[in-house]
Amino acid sequence: MDANATTPLLPEVLEAMRPCWMEHFGNASSIHLDGQTAHKAVEHARETLARFLNCRPVDVVFNSGGTEGDNTAIFGMLRPGDHLITTSIEHSAILQAAQRVAERGIEVTFIAPRPSGLIDPEEIRRALRAEKRPDTRPKTRLISVMLANNETGVIQPVEEIGKIAAEAGAFFHIDAVQGAGKVKLDVQRIGCHLLSISAHKMHGPKGSGALYVKRGTPLDSLMVGGSHERRRRAGTLNVPGIVGLGKAAELAMESLEEGTLRRVAALRDRLEAGVLDLSGTGVNGCWDGNVRTPRTPNTTNIWFDQVDGEALVIALDLKGLAVSGGSACHSGSTEPSHVLMAMGLDKNRARASLRFSLLKTATDADVDYALRAIPEAVAHLRAISPVAAGTVG
Ligand code: PLP
């Protein structure tokens, strides 16, 4: 139950990739038959991605995954004197890139979420820097917001943000790494200029991804060298990775149409309800006032009172259940999740929160097992917890 960290290849993806290593191993830039076979496979994947994103095939730039797409959007769009608006709940691939450009004379505004984890589009509107003079480009050059949060699954109102970006004449990048394959993507409807996806979050291979680049977007490439990908990303094409991404996108579209994700949402809801039967538990990012927060169908983030999150991750791992703490390890010290902290959780509750993220192949038996393992592990940890015993305040 850690699908937001990564997913296994689906068998069809492996089968699609298999010939690309030893039989049709050509360099997609070579003009001979082997090269042209590889080139055709790449272009087939590009067409699939174009359907997946609702864009033209030439707008798809293949790369090494979400981190590269995110970095390219930030480093490739911004120059000293520009203003960037992003959020405080982004993945570190955006946050660290934003921090780096901030050191290079770019002004960065980080928008905090509401307690629900939702970004208020009006906050983005308020943060916009107007044009200095009509003949200069708008001061806010780029807005970068994630589609779905990796820790809570909360889905951001990207269409509304897209409209605000368009009105302001700002470019708009979406980190869709956690949304791809879980919700339908449509770059035309959203009105974004750039959008990052990663194959390994949607049953494709690791180290493969794509960046959608709208025609006319003045993006500098991160990698320079050969003229691959219409000079937008230099480097010999990772043909097996691209073919795997294409197949994963094709299967993801089928899953979305077949209602697989509705089945996953029902499993997630049953898991969530079962865990909430335990005392001292609650969901992070589930309600916005009295309205349900839109979330990806596979994710829930739950706090457990009087339990250390890391200890619970280990206890569940010993029972064969892989989940993730909402915390990142920085040089040995466990920091509470920046996402949960930004949503206003106190440090203890943030440390006591776990993310459960289901694979689309998850079954009822998986949820049954988790609903036996979690109460046992929580009861055990609470029994030995000095906080629960009242020996520590
Ligand atoms: N963006 C988000 C929201 C993610 O969850 C991740 C991976 O966890 C990334 C970007 C980075 O993607 P990749 O692992 O392909 O570099």
Side-chain angles (χ1 to χ4, degrees), residues 18 20 65-66 105 113 116 156 174 197-198 230 238 284 298 321 323 330 332 341 363 365 378-379:
R18 199 188 290 279
C20 306
S116 60
Q156 302 301 341
I174 297 178
I197 63 168
S198 174
R230 296 173 173 244
N238 168 10
N284 298 312
N298 76 323
L321 181 64
V323 300
H330 297 292
M341 296 291 286
T363 63
V378 169

Side-chain angles (χ1 to χ4, degrees), residues 3-8 65-66 177 198-208 245:
N4 288 6
T6 197
T7 57
V177 168
S198 174
H200 77 100
K201 307 286 189 185
M202 44 187 269
H203 298 276
K206 292 166 182 61
S208 171
L245 172 61

Side-chain angles (χ1 to χ4, degrees), residues 180-231:
K182 298 172 190 156
V183 296
K184 201 170 167 359
L185 295 177
D186 184 338
V187 293
Q188 312 293 333
R189 213 183 58 220
I190 300 171
C192 59
H193 301 84
L194 300 155
L195 180 140
S196 314
I197 63 168
S198 174
H200 77 100
K201 307 286 189 185
M202 44 187 269
H203 298 276
K206 292 166 182 61
S208 171
L211 180 66
Y212 158 73
V213 184
K214 186 179 177 177
R215 187 195 341 218
T217 305
L219 179 76
D220 279 348
S221 66
L222 200 61
M223 317 284 265
V224 291
S227 57
H228 312 88
E229 297 297 87
R230 296 173 173 244
R231 299 201 167 274

Side-chain angles (χ1 to χ4, degrees), residues 183 251 347:
V183 296
L251 297 171
K347 267 191 177 186

Side-chain angles (χ1 to χ4, degrees), residues 159-344:
E159 278 182 51
E160 275 176 79
I161 298 169
K163 284 197 194 100
I164 291 170
E167 280 164 29
F171 294 100
F172 184 27
H173 167 250
I174 297 178
D175 173 345
V177 168
Q178 292 289 348
K182 298 172 190 156
V183 296
K184 201 170 167 359
L185 295 177
D186 184 338
V187 293
Q188 312 293 333
R189 213 183 58 220
I190 300 171
C192 59
H193 301 84
L194 300 155
L195 180 140
S196 314
I197 63 168
S198 174
H200 77 100
K201 307 286 189 185
M202 44 187 269
H203 298 276
K206 292 166 182 61
S208 171
L211 180 66
Y212 158 73
V213 184
K214 186 179 177 177
R215 187 195 341 218
T217 305
L219 179 76
D220 279 348
S221 66
L222 200 61
M223 317 284 265
V224 291
S227 57
H228 312 88
E229 297 297 87
R230 296 173 173 244
R231 299 201 167 274
R232 292 168 301 184
R233 201 273 187 179
T236 301
L237 296 189
N238 168 10
V239 179
I242 291 167
V243 167
L245 172 61
K247 194 69 190 177
E250 186 186 313
L251 297 171
M253 284 187 280
E254 283 172 17
S255 290
L256 284 165
E257 269 164 30
E258 285 163 2
T260 307
L261 278 304
R262 276 198 297 281
R263 191 187 64 81
V264 173
L267 288 176
R268 186 272 313 271
D269 291 347
R270 189 161 75 81
L271 174 74
E272 195 171 87
V275 175
L276 292 184
D277 277 345
L278 293 172
S279 63
T281 56
V283 178
N284 298 312
C286 187
W287 293 97
D288 190 57
N290 50 11
V291 179
R292 271 202 174 272
T293 312
R295 287 183 299 167
T296 45
N298 76 323
T299 307
T300 180
N301 191 302
I302 299 179
W303 53 263
F304 296 83
D305 263 354
Q306 298 172 344
V307 168
D308 174 63
E310 290 299 311
L312 186 52
V313 169
I314 294 164
L316 292 175
D317 189 33
L318 291 173
K319 292 175 183 290
L321 181 64
V323 300
S324 161
S327 55
C329 232
H330 297 292
S331 58
S333 74
T334 308
E335 291 293 324
S337 144
H338 71 281
V339 174
L340 299 180
M341 296 291 286
M343 286 163 63

Side-chain angles (χ1 to χ4, degrees), residues 78-141:
L78 296 162
R79 298 288 161 271
D82 288 336
H83 177 227
L84 163 68
I85 300 175
T86 186
T87 83
S88 52
I89 55 168
E90 298 298 305
H91 187 268
S92 50
I94 289 289
L95 290 180
Q96 300 272 321
Q99 266 150 25
R100 176 134 342 150
V101 294
E103 289 158 15
R104 296 177 184 168
I106 287 146
E107 287 181 62
V108 185
T109 304
F110 294 96
I111 306 290
R114 294 203 286 250
S116 60
L118 273 173
I119 297 294
D120 182 351
E122 288 310 309
E123 290 278 326
I124 292 190
R125 194 193 296 281
R126 276 193 283 278
L128 284 167
R129 301 275 171 82
E131 296 172 47
K132 273 189 214 152
R133 298 196 314 266
D135 60 335
T136 55
R137 60 186 175 185
K139 264 200 90 189
T140 300
R141 169 102 164 146

